[in-house]
Short mmCIF file of all heavy atoms in Angstrom, two decimals:
data_model
loop_
_atom_site.label_atom_id
_atom_site.label_comp_id
_atom_site.label_asym_id
_atom_site.label_seq_id
_atom_site.Cartn_x
_atom_site.Cartn_y
_atom_site.Cartn_z
N THR A 1 57.22 -67.26 15.97
CA THR A 1 56.21 -66.22 16.12
C THR A 1 55.08 -66.60 15.20
O THR A 1 55.26 -67.00 14.11
CB THR A 1 56.77 -64.86 15.74
OG1 THR A 1 57.97 -64.55 16.49
CG2 THR A 1 55.77 -63.75 15.86
N GLY A 2 53.87 -66.47 15.75
CA GLY A 2 52.68 -66.70 15.03
C GLY A 2 51.94 -67.98 15.51
O GLY A 2 52.37 -68.58 16.53
N GLU A 3 50.86 -68.31 14.90
CA GLU A 3 50.11 -69.39 15.22
C GLU A 3 50.25 -70.48 14.17
O GLU A 3 50.15 -70.14 12.98
CB GLU A 3 48.55 -69.06 15.37
CG GLU A 3 48.28 -68.18 16.52
CD GLU A 3 48.58 -68.78 17.86
OE1 GLU A 3 48.28 -69.95 18.07
OE2 GLU A 3 49.08 -68.02 18.76
N ILE A 4 50.39 -71.76 14.55
CA ILE A 4 50.49 -72.81 13.58
C ILE A 4 49.16 -72.89 12.85
O ILE A 4 48.09 -72.93 13.34
CB ILE A 4 50.76 -74.23 14.34
CG1 ILE A 4 51.97 -74.10 15.14
CG2 ILE A 4 50.75 -75.34 13.33
CD1 ILE A 4 53.26 -74.03 14.37
N GLY A 5 49.32 -72.87 11.51
CA GLY A 5 48.15 -73.04 10.60
C GLY A 5 47.90 -74.33 10.03
O GLY A 5 48.22 -75.39 10.64
N THR A 6 47.45 -74.34 8.82
CA THR A 6 47.23 -75.60 8.08
C THR A 6 48.20 -75.62 6.97
O THR A 6 48.78 -74.62 6.46
CB THR A 6 45.73 -75.71 7.61
OG1 THR A 6 45.53 -74.59 6.65
CG2 THR A 6 44.74 -75.65 8.67
N CYS A 7 48.34 -76.87 6.40
CA CYS A 7 49.36 -77.16 5.34
C CYS A 7 48.60 -77.80 4.21
O CYS A 7 47.89 -78.77 4.47
CB CYS A 7 50.51 -77.98 5.84
SG CYS A 7 51.76 -78.25 4.65
N ASP A 8 48.89 -77.39 2.98
CA ASP A 8 48.22 -78.06 1.81
C ASP A 8 48.90 -79.39 1.45
O ASP A 8 48.41 -80.03 0.49
CB ASP A 8 48.04 -77.05 0.65
CG ASP A 8 49.39 -76.59 0.12
OD1 ASP A 8 50.42 -77.02 0.62
OD2 ASP A 8 49.42 -75.75 -0.85
N GLU A 9 49.93 -79.65 2.09
CA GLU A 9 50.71 -80.95 1.74
C GLU A 9 50.34 -82.06 2.62
O GLU A 9 50.74 -83.27 2.45
CB GLU A 9 52.17 -80.72 1.72
CG GLU A 9 52.64 -79.75 0.70
CD GLU A 9 54.10 -79.44 0.68
OE1 GLU A 9 54.84 -80.19 1.31
OE2 GLU A 9 54.54 -78.58 -0.02
N GLY A 10 49.68 -81.77 3.75
CA GLY A 10 49.31 -82.83 4.76
C GLY A 10 48.76 -82.17 6.01
O GLY A 10 48.57 -80.99 6.01
N ASP A 11 48.56 -83.04 6.97
CA ASP A 11 47.99 -82.61 8.29
C ASP A 11 49.15 -82.37 9.24
O ASP A 11 50.03 -83.23 9.40
CB ASP A 11 47.04 -83.54 8.83
CG ASP A 11 45.82 -83.74 7.93
OD1 ASP A 11 45.34 -82.70 7.32
OD2 ASP A 11 45.35 -84.88 7.77
N LEU A 12 49.16 -81.23 10.00
CA LEU A 12 50.10 -80.96 11.03
C LEU A 12 49.65 -81.51 12.32
O LEU A 12 48.45 -81.24 12.69
CB LEU A 12 50.36 -79.43 11.10
CG LEU A 12 50.98 -78.79 9.85
CD1 LEU A 12 51.03 -77.26 10.00
CD2 LEU A 12 52.41 -79.31 9.68
N HIS A 13 50.51 -82.15 13.08
CA HIS A 13 50.15 -82.68 14.38
C HIS A 13 51.31 -82.40 15.34
O HIS A 13 52.46 -82.70 15.01
CB HIS A 13 49.92 -84.20 14.31
CG HIS A 13 48.79 -84.66 13.49
ND1 HIS A 13 47.50 -84.68 13.94
CD2 HIS A 13 48.75 -84.90 12.12
CE1 HIS A 13 46.68 -85.05 12.91
NE2 HIS A 13 47.42 -85.23 11.84
N TRP A 14 51.02 -82.20 16.61
CA TRP A 14 51.98 -82.20 17.66
C TRP A 14 52.06 -83.67 18.20
O TRP A 14 51.04 -84.21 18.62
CB TRP A 14 51.55 -81.26 18.81
CG TRP A 14 51.77 -79.86 18.45
CD1 TRP A 14 50.73 -78.94 18.10
CD2 TRP A 14 52.97 -79.06 18.48
NE1 TRP A 14 51.33 -77.74 17.80
CE2 TRP A 14 52.66 -77.80 18.11
CE3 TRP A 14 54.32 -79.43 18.73
CZ2 TRP A 14 53.64 -76.79 17.94
CZ3 TRP A 14 55.22 -78.39 18.59
CH2 TRP A 14 54.90 -77.14 18.24
N VAL A 15 53.22 -84.19 18.09
CA VAL A 15 53.45 -85.66 18.48
C VAL A 15 54.34 -85.64 19.73
O VAL A 15 55.34 -85.06 19.68
CB VAL A 15 54.07 -86.41 17.31
CG1 VAL A 15 54.35 -87.88 17.71
CG2 VAL A 15 53.19 -86.33 16.08
N ASP A 16 53.89 -86.43 20.78
CA ASP A 16 54.83 -86.58 21.96
C ASP A 16 56.10 -87.18 21.46
O ASP A 16 56.16 -88.14 20.67
CB ASP A 16 54.14 -87.54 22.97
CG ASP A 16 52.92 -86.99 23.66
OD1 ASP A 16 52.88 -85.72 23.82
OD2 ASP A 16 52.06 -87.78 23.98
N ASN A 17 57.19 -86.62 21.96
CA ASN A 17 58.58 -87.10 21.56
C ASN A 17 58.73 -88.56 21.63
O ASN A 17 59.35 -89.30 20.90
CB ASN A 17 59.67 -86.36 22.22
CG ASN A 17 59.74 -84.88 21.77
OD1 ASN A 17 59.18 -84.54 20.67
ND2 ASN A 17 60.44 -84.07 22.51
N ASP A 18 58.08 -89.13 22.72
CA ASP A 18 58.26 -90.56 22.94
C ASP A 18 57.37 -91.40 22.11
O ASP A 18 57.44 -92.69 22.21
CB ASP A 18 58.16 -90.89 24.46
CG ASP A 18 56.72 -90.64 25.03
OD1 ASP A 18 55.94 -90.02 24.30
OD2 ASP A 18 56.47 -91.05 26.16
N LYS A 19 56.55 -90.82 21.28
CA LYS A 19 55.64 -91.46 20.34
C LYS A 19 56.11 -91.38 18.85
O LYS A 19 55.40 -91.89 17.99
CB LYS A 19 54.18 -91.01 20.53
CG LYS A 19 53.66 -91.13 21.90
CD LYS A 19 53.44 -92.60 22.25
CE LYS A 19 52.73 -92.69 23.63
NZ LYS A 19 52.97 -93.96 24.29
N ILE A 20 57.13 -90.50 18.64
CA ILE A 20 57.46 -90.32 17.27
C ILE A 20 57.77 -91.59 16.45
O ILE A 20 57.38 -91.82 15.33
CB ILE A 20 58.70 -89.36 17.15
CG1 ILE A 20 58.31 -87.91 17.60
CG2 ILE A 20 59.33 -89.30 15.77
CD1 ILE A 20 59.40 -86.95 17.84
N LEU A 21 58.50 -92.52 17.13
CA LEU A 21 58.91 -93.73 16.44
C LEU A 21 57.65 -94.67 16.17
O LEU A 21 57.85 -95.63 15.51
CB LEU A 21 59.95 -94.46 17.23
CG LEU A 21 61.30 -93.69 17.36
CD1 LEU A 21 62.35 -94.53 18.18
CD2 LEU A 21 61.87 -93.41 15.92
N ASP A 22 56.57 -94.37 16.79
CA ASP A 22 55.31 -95.18 16.51
C ASP A 22 54.63 -94.75 15.16
O ASP A 22 53.74 -95.41 14.72
CB ASP A 22 54.31 -94.88 17.61
CG ASP A 22 54.75 -95.48 18.97
OD1 ASP A 22 55.68 -96.28 19.02
OD2 ASP A 22 54.19 -95.04 19.98
N ARG A 23 55.14 -93.64 14.57
CA ARG A 23 54.51 -93.16 13.37
C ARG A 23 55.20 -93.82 12.17
O ARG A 23 56.20 -94.47 12.20
CB ARG A 23 54.64 -91.59 13.22
CG ARG A 23 54.18 -90.82 14.42
CD ARG A 23 52.79 -90.91 14.51
NE ARG A 23 52.28 -90.31 15.65
CZ ARG A 23 51.02 -89.87 15.87
NH1 ARG A 23 50.13 -89.99 15.00
NH2 ARG A 23 50.66 -89.34 17.11
N GLU A 24 54.52 -93.65 11.00
CA GLU A 24 55.18 -94.21 9.73
C GLU A 24 56.27 -93.24 9.29
O GLU A 24 55.92 -92.21 8.70
CB GLU A 24 54.03 -94.41 8.67
CG GLU A 24 54.65 -95.09 7.41
CD GLU A 24 53.57 -95.35 6.35
OE1 GLU A 24 52.38 -95.41 6.71
OE2 GLU A 24 53.95 -95.57 5.22
N LEU A 25 57.48 -93.60 9.52
CA LEU A 25 58.67 -92.79 9.20
C LEU A 25 59.46 -93.51 8.12
O LEU A 25 59.48 -94.79 8.05
CB LEU A 25 59.53 -92.61 10.34
CG LEU A 25 58.95 -92.03 11.68
CD1 LEU A 25 59.94 -92.15 12.77
CD2 LEU A 25 58.43 -90.63 11.51
N TRP A 26 60.35 -92.75 7.46
CA TRP A 26 61.40 -93.37 6.69
C TRP A 26 62.33 -94.10 7.67
O TRP A 26 62.56 -93.65 8.82
CB TRP A 26 62.21 -92.32 5.89
CG TRP A 26 61.47 -91.70 4.77
CD1 TRP A 26 60.76 -90.56 4.73
CD2 TRP A 26 61.35 -92.30 3.50
NE1 TRP A 26 60.30 -90.31 3.47
CE2 TRP A 26 60.66 -91.41 2.63
CE3 TRP A 26 61.83 -93.50 2.86
CZ2 TRP A 26 60.28 -91.64 1.33
CZ3 TRP A 26 61.48 -93.76 1.56
CH2 TRP A 26 60.71 -92.81 0.80
N GLU A 27 62.87 -95.21 7.28
CA GLU A 27 63.78 -96.01 8.25
C GLU A 27 64.96 -95.11 8.61
O GLU A 27 65.36 -95.15 9.77
CB GLU A 27 64.32 -97.21 7.47
CG GLU A 27 63.25 -98.30 7.32
CD GLU A 27 63.81 -99.51 6.61
OE1 GLU A 27 64.70 -100.19 7.19
OE2 GLU A 27 63.37 -99.88 5.51
N GLY A 28 65.53 -94.33 7.78
CA GLY A 28 66.64 -93.44 8.11
C GLY A 28 66.20 -92.41 9.11
O GLY A 28 67.01 -92.02 10.03
N ASP A 29 64.98 -91.88 9.03
CA ASP A 29 64.50 -90.91 10.01
C ASP A 29 64.43 -91.57 11.45
O ASP A 29 64.67 -90.91 12.50
CB ASP A 29 63.13 -90.45 9.66
CG ASP A 29 63.03 -89.63 8.46
OD1 ASP A 29 64.04 -89.60 7.63
OD2 ASP A 29 62.01 -88.90 8.20
N ARG A 30 64.16 -92.85 11.53
CA ARG A 30 64.18 -93.59 12.80
C ARG A 30 65.60 -93.50 13.38
O ARG A 30 65.73 -93.38 14.62
CB ARG A 30 63.77 -95.02 12.66
CG ARG A 30 62.33 -95.14 12.28
CD ARG A 30 61.88 -96.64 12.21
NE ARG A 30 60.45 -96.79 11.75
CZ ARG A 30 59.48 -96.43 12.50
NH1 ARG A 30 59.67 -96.09 13.74
NH2 ARG A 30 58.23 -96.52 12.10
N LEU A 31 66.58 -93.64 12.59
CA LEU A 31 67.97 -93.50 13.07
C LEU A 31 68.23 -92.14 13.54
O LEU A 31 68.78 -91.87 14.65
CB LEU A 31 68.98 -93.92 12.00
CG LEU A 31 68.87 -95.36 11.50
CD1 LEU A 31 69.85 -95.59 10.34
CD2 LEU A 31 69.16 -96.37 12.57
N PHE A 32 67.96 -91.19 12.74
CA PHE A 32 68.35 -89.76 13.22
C PHE A 32 67.58 -89.29 14.32
O PHE A 32 68.01 -88.39 15.09
CB PHE A 32 68.52 -88.74 12.01
CG PHE A 32 67.25 -88.13 11.39
CD1 PHE A 32 66.35 -87.38 12.15
CD2 PHE A 32 67.03 -88.38 10.06
CE1 PHE A 32 65.24 -86.85 11.55
CE2 PHE A 32 65.90 -87.74 9.47
CZ PHE A 32 65.03 -87.03 10.15
N TRP A 33 66.33 -89.81 14.55
CA TRP A 33 65.50 -89.41 15.70
C TRP A 33 66.25 -89.80 16.98
O TRP A 33 66.29 -89.10 18.01
CB TRP A 33 64.07 -89.89 15.65
CG TRP A 33 63.28 -88.86 14.98
CD1 TRP A 33 62.63 -88.89 13.81
CD2 TRP A 33 63.00 -87.54 15.51
NE1 TRP A 33 61.98 -87.69 13.56
CE2 TRP A 33 62.16 -86.83 14.62
CE3 TRP A 33 63.32 -86.97 16.80
CZ2 TRP A 33 61.77 -85.56 14.80
CZ3 TRP A 33 62.80 -85.60 16.90
CH2 TRP A 33 62.06 -85.01 15.96
N ASP A 34 66.81 -90.98 16.95
CA ASP A 34 67.62 -91.44 18.10
C ASP A 34 68.83 -90.45 18.31
O ASP A 34 69.03 -90.04 19.51
CB ASP A 34 68.15 -92.82 17.89
CG ASP A 34 69.07 -93.30 19.03
OD1 ASP A 34 68.58 -93.38 20.18
OD2 ASP A 34 70.24 -93.54 18.76
N TRP A 35 69.48 -90.03 17.27
CA TRP A 35 70.60 -89.12 17.42
C TRP A 35 70.09 -87.84 17.95
O TRP A 35 70.82 -87.17 18.82
CB TRP A 35 71.30 -88.93 16.08
CG TRP A 35 71.61 -90.28 15.45
CD1 TRP A 35 71.91 -91.45 16.10
CD2 TRP A 35 71.87 -90.50 14.08
NE1 TRP A 35 72.22 -92.44 15.15
CE2 TRP A 35 72.19 -91.85 13.96
CE3 TRP A 35 71.71 -89.74 12.97
CZ2 TRP A 35 72.45 -92.41 12.66
CZ3 TRP A 35 71.98 -90.25 11.68
CH2 TRP A 35 72.34 -91.56 11.52
N ILE A 36 68.97 -87.30 17.44
CA ILE A 36 68.46 -86.01 17.99
C ILE A 36 68.00 -86.05 19.43
O ILE A 36 68.37 -85.25 20.22
CB ILE A 36 67.33 -85.51 17.03
CG1 ILE A 36 67.91 -85.06 15.66
CG2 ILE A 36 66.64 -84.34 17.65
CD1 ILE A 36 66.89 -84.80 14.62
N LEU A 37 67.17 -87.02 19.70
CA LEU A 37 66.60 -87.15 21.04
C LEU A 37 67.65 -87.39 22.10
O LEU A 37 67.52 -87.00 23.34
CB LEU A 37 65.52 -88.14 21.09
CG LEU A 37 64.29 -87.77 20.27
CD1 LEU A 37 63.33 -88.96 20.21
CD2 LEU A 37 63.56 -86.54 20.77
N ASN A 38 68.78 -88.04 21.70
CA ASN A 38 69.80 -88.39 22.68
C ASN A 38 71.00 -87.53 22.57
O ASN A 38 72.07 -87.85 23.13
CB ASN A 38 70.18 -89.93 22.51
CG ASN A 38 69.09 -90.78 22.99
OD1 ASN A 38 68.65 -90.70 24.20
ND2 ASN A 38 68.59 -91.62 22.09
N GLU A 39 70.85 -86.33 21.84
CA GLU A 39 71.84 -85.31 21.78
C GLU A 39 73.22 -85.88 21.40
O GLU A 39 74.30 -85.63 21.98
CB GLU A 39 71.99 -84.52 23.06
CG GLU A 39 70.75 -83.75 23.42
CD GLU A 39 70.58 -82.53 22.51
OE1 GLU A 39 71.52 -82.12 21.81
OE2 GLU A 39 69.44 -82.06 22.43
N LYS A 40 73.25 -86.73 20.24
CA LYS A 40 74.51 -87.35 19.87
C LYS A 40 75.39 -86.34 19.09
O LYS A 40 76.56 -86.71 18.85
CB LYS A 40 74.22 -88.57 19.03
CG LYS A 40 73.42 -89.58 19.77
CD LYS A 40 74.10 -90.94 19.68
CE LYS A 40 73.36 -91.99 20.49
NZ LYS A 40 73.72 -93.28 20.22
N GLY A 41 74.90 -85.16 18.81
CA GLY A 41 75.75 -84.18 18.08
C GLY A 41 75.40 -84.05 16.64
O GLY A 41 74.59 -84.75 16.08
N LEU A 42 76.14 -83.12 16.05
CA LEU A 42 75.94 -82.82 14.60
C LEU A 42 76.32 -84.10 13.79
O LEU A 42 77.37 -84.61 14.02
CB LEU A 42 76.80 -81.67 14.20
CG LEU A 42 76.65 -81.09 12.80
CD1 LEU A 42 75.26 -80.53 12.54
CD2 LEU A 42 77.73 -80.12 12.46
N PHE A 43 75.46 -84.41 12.91
CA PHE A 43 75.72 -85.61 12.08
C PHE A 43 75.70 -85.37 10.57
O PHE A 43 75.05 -84.48 10.12
CB PHE A 43 74.69 -86.70 12.51
CG PHE A 43 73.26 -86.43 12.24
CD1 PHE A 43 72.75 -86.63 10.94
CD2 PHE A 43 72.44 -85.88 13.21
CE1 PHE A 43 71.40 -86.37 10.67
CE2 PHE A 43 71.13 -85.57 12.89
CZ PHE A 43 70.60 -85.86 11.69
N SER A 44 76.33 -86.22 9.89
CA SER A 44 76.26 -86.32 8.44
C SER A 44 75.99 -87.81 8.13
O SER A 44 76.76 -88.67 8.48
CB SER A 44 77.51 -85.88 7.71
OG SER A 44 77.39 -86.06 6.37
#
């Protein structure tokens, strides 16, 4: 609920899901994005 505002820690952007891995991510984030996008289930 509400409108996306601004953040004092950085810039907020809507990123196409198929372009997420093109961004500067932590290497581990690259792994969990595959798990999220491919519905691999709850992970630890």
Side-chain angles (χ1 to χ4, degrees):
T1 303
E3 295 295 320
I4 301 292
T6 59
C7 181
D8 62 3
E9 296 180 11
D11 297 321
L12 296 171
H13 297 273
W14 287 102
V15 177
D16 290 329
N17 288 344
D18 63 353
K19 302 288 186 207
I20 291 172
L21 296 180
D22 296 340
R23 306 294 173 159
E24 185 176 340
L25 306 172
W26 287 100
E27 289 181 63
D29 291 18
R30 292 183 183 287
L31 297 175
F32 77 62
W33 268 109
D34 176 62
W35 307 334
I36 289 173
L37 293 173
N38 291 301
E39 294 291 339
K40 298 233 177 167
L42 184 67
F43 62 86
S44 177

